[in-house]
Amino acid sequence: MKIISFLILAVCFLLTLALGAQNQQLVNFDFLVAQGEFQLSTLLGIAFGSGFAIGWLICGLLYLKTRFSRNRLSKKVAKQQQELNQLRAEPVKE
């Protein structure tokens, strides 16, 4: 599975390089505080890189949240299992 994900990442990177090599013209880019002329390949690379980083950040945060939740629930289940074993070990009172 890791090999497949690595291959997909490598193909995306190569596709970005191919697009960048074909798009060398200058474009006027207006952003919030200023404007500038950049190569189209540079803008494509920045957009791809920032999207990739934001995606990894969001997925990483969701993974950590799930991991902490799983650990908390595992501790809760272990505690309840211990209580259940103690109740089963006690003799029945009438």
Side-chain angles (χ1 to χ4, degrees), residues 1-10:
M1 187 66 183
K2 288 185 180 184
I3 293 174
I4 293 172
S5 61
F6 178 74
L7 286 175
I8 291 172
L9 181 63

Side-chain angles (χ1 to χ4, degrees), residues 23-93:
N23 296 304
Q24 293 298 323
Q25 60 267 35
L26 290 175
V27 291
N28 192 17
F29 184 69
D30 296 325
F31 43 98
L32 292 176
V33 292
Q35 74 178 30
E37 286 194 6
F38 300 99
Q39 288 183 349
L40 186 57
S41 60
T42 304
L43 288 176
L44 286 172
I46 290 170
F48 178 77
S50 60
F52 187 77
I54 290 170
W56 270 103
L57 180 66
I58 291 171
C59 287
L61 290 174
L62 290 174
Y63 176 77
L64 285 176
K65 180 182 173 185
T66 304
R67 188 80 186 249
F68 288 142
S69 176
R70 190 190 87 192
N71 287 343
R72 187 178 65 247
L73 291 173
S74 294
K75 289 178 184 178
K76 190 174 183 179
V77 166
K79 183 179 176 183
Q80 290 177 345
Q81 187 69 34
Q82 184 181 12
E83 288 177 4
L84 182 61
N85 289 338
Q86 287 176 353
L87 289 174
R88 287 182 178 162
E90 291 178 6
V92 177
K93 297 178 184 177

